[in-house]
Amino acid sequence: MVFTDPEPWQPHVWRSELKDAVTSVAELGRVLRLPLEDCDEGAIAGFPLRVPRPFVARMRRNDPDDPLLRQVLPAAAEKEPVSVLPDGTRLSVDPLRENDYARAPALIQKYRGRALLIATPACAVHCRYCFRKHFPYEDHSPGRREAALAVLREDDEIAEVILSGGDPLVMTDASLGRLIRCLDSILHIERLRIHTRLPIVLPSRITRDLLDILASTRLRVVVVVHANHPQELDSDTARAFACLRGAPGITLLNQTVLLRGVNDAAPALCALSERLFAQGVLPYYLHMPDAVIGTHGFHVTEVRARQIHDAMAERLPGYLLPKLAREEPGRAAKTVLA
C-alpha cells in the first residue's frame, strides 16, 4: 500500500498499545484459539512473554506453527541443557562477548569508528531468540550514561553511534530527544543508527514528535528495522515506513535473523525482501542466529544457510539480496558468508 501523504499516529495510541501487550500464555492462546500445548511457562522465568496486540493480530488463528507465534512463544526447549550443537557450535549466555567490549556502562565498541549505546533495557516484544536475553542490563543502566557520553566526546574516531537496547523507540519522545541532542552536540559524530523492532510490532510508535526529533538533528539517521517474515508486514507497517521516509535524511534498512521453523526457506525470505522493498525498506543483512543458551531450537547450520541464500540469489536482483552474515567476537567486522 502506498501513502502519498502519510499521517503519523497520535502519541496516546502507542502508549496504550504498549501497556495492553499480551503477557500471559493463557491470553495469547485465547486470542489465537489455540491450546498452546508446546508452551512451557517455566521458560518464562527471567524473560517473560511480551507481545503487542498489533503483532498478535497478524498471527494466523488455529495455527500452532504460525511463524510469528514461534518467535514469541516460550517453549520447553529453552530449558534443555544444550551447550553444544551437532555442528559443533557452542552456546553461551554472551556469545558475542559484549561485556569484553564495554568501554563504559551502556557503551559497547566492537568495531572501529562506531560504538553501540544501550539506550534502554526495555523492549516492546520479547523474541525468544534474543541474543541479549541474558544481558546484565543492571550494569549498563541508562542512569550511568554520562560515563558513556564522556567516552564518546573524547574519542574523535567514533563517527557513528548505534542506539540499541532493549529497543530505543520504547523511550518516550522527550527522553529520546534529549539523548539525540547530546549526541548531536558531539561534532565528530556524523551518523546515528537506530536499531528497532517497533515499526514492525508497534507501528503506532511513529508519531509526529518522533519524526520531528529525527528530522531536527544534523546527524545522518539510519533506522534499521527487524522483520523476519513477510507476514509481519501490513498496511500499518507500510504507513509507519512512509512516515519515516517522509522525514528528511532518514535511510531505512532491514535486518533479518535466519530462524529454523520461522523463515528457513528461500520463498519466504524472497517474499520478505520483495515486500520490504515495496514498503520502501532495503534488505540489509540476513543474520545467522547468535549462539545463545536456550535458543538451539532456532539454529540453522551454515551449510543450510548457504543453500537458502544461493536459492535467493537465483530469484532476487542484487539490491534485494541481503548479505548472509554472522557476528563473531574479535573480528574487525561482521563475517560475510555469502
Side-chain angles (χ1 to χ4, degrees):
M1 184 174 293
V2 177
F3 293 89
T4 56
D5 187 19
E7 182 66 30
W9 283 263
Q10 293 298 315
H12 71 274
V13 178
W14 80 272
R15 293 172 187 158
S16 175
E17 289 180 338
L18 185 64
K19 289 179 181 178
D20 192 39
V22 175
T23 56
S24 87
V25 173
E27 172 65 4
L28 186 59
R30 185 191 67 77
V31 171
L32 297 178
R33 299 193 292 273
L34 281 171
L36 299 181
E37 296 171 349
D38 292 335
C39 176
D40 190 325
E41 294 275 5
I44 292 178
F47 196 64
L49 171 72
R50 184 175 185 82
V51 54
R53 292 181 190 271
F55 193 69
V56 175
R58 294 174 223 151
M59 297 177 186
R60 295 189 294 261
R61 273 45 182 170
N62 298 304
D63 184 358
D65 295 319
D66 178 81
L68 278 59
L69 174 63
R70 287 182 62 86
Q71 295 179 59
V72 300
L73 184 66
E78 293 183 39
K79 297 196 302 178
E80 294 173 358
V82 177
S83 58
V84 182
L85 299 176
D87 65 358
T89 300
R90 293 189 173 276
L91 307 179
S92 73
V93 297
D94 183 17
L96 304 183
R97 301 212 318 263
E98 290 194 306
N99 281 311
D100 295 350
Y101 299 102
R103 295 189 60 184
L107 185 69
I108 298 169
Q109 186 176 12
K110 290 180 279 189
Y111 305 131
R112 184 174 180 177
R114 53 202 185 275
L116 184 146
L117 188 63
I118 299 291
T120 174
C123 271
V125 62
H126 288 174
C127 303
R128 307 317 298 180
Y129 54 87
C130 178
F131 72 101
R132 289 204 182 110
K133 65 193 302 184
H134 305 291
F135 189 77
Y137 285 108
E138 64 278 5
D139 297 332
H140 299 272
S141 66
R144 305 173 68 185
R145 189 181 291 147
E146 191 51 47
L149 292 172
V151 171
L152 292 173
R153 293 187 188 101
E154 294 166 3
D155 190 342
D156 60 9
E157 281 198 350
I158 297 176
E160 180 175 56
V161 171
I162 303 161
L163 295 187
S164 185
D167 193 308
L169 293 193
V170 171
M171 300 171 71
T172 65
D173 290 328
S175 297
L176 183 62
R178 283 193 297 270
L179 176 56
I180 291 177
R181 285 192 294 272
C182 285
L183 298 174
D184 193 299
S185 70
I186 304 173
L187 297 184
H188 58 263
I189 297 177
E190 301 172 1
R191 297 180 303 278
L192 175 67
R193 199 188 328 165
I194 300 174
H195 282 242
T196 179
R197 189 102 156 101
L198 263 73
I200 305 295
V201 302
L202 200 66
S204 59
R205 178 61 185 93
I206 309 306
T207 64
R208 172 57 59 194
D209 287 344
L210 174 63
L211 296 173
D212 289 345
I213 289 167
L214 298 180
S216 63
T217 179
R218 66 170 180 83
L219 303 170
R220 296 287 296 182
V221 177
V222 180
V223 177
V224 182
V225 297
H226 173 188
N228 293 325
H229 193 277
Q231 190 179 316
E232 297 178 28
L233 304 178
D234 64 0
S235 59
D236 281 341
T237 61
R239 175 181 168 188
F241 296 148
C243 289
L244 286 166
R245 290 199 316 277
I250 292 182
T251 299
L252 284 176
L253 304 174
N254 181 72
Q255 289 192 155
T256 294
V257 181
L258 184 58
L259 301 166
R260 181 156 61 94
V262 173
N263 60 9
D264 54 334
L269 291 171
C270 288
L272 174 61
S273 284
E274 297 276 10
R275 194 168 296 181
L276 283 165
F277 190 66
Q279 296 194 1
V281 183
L282 198 64
Y284 174 39
Y285 274 123
L286 176 60
H287 268 290
M288 297 292 291
D290 295 311
V292 182
I293 287 284
T295 66
H296 54 279
F298 293 109
H299 183 72
V300 178
T301 67
E302 184 176 324
V303 170
R304 176 62 181 149
R306 288 179 183 273
Q307 291 172 344
I308 293 170
H309 195 265
D310 287 346
M312 293 173 67
E314 293 177 0
R315 304 181 188 201
L316 293 172
Y319 59 88
L320 292 188
L321 183 67
K323 297 177 183 177
L324 177 63
R326 69 153 48 95
E327 197 162 351
E328 297 177 299
R331 296 292 184 102
K334 287 184 173 67
T335 302
V336 176
L337 303 177

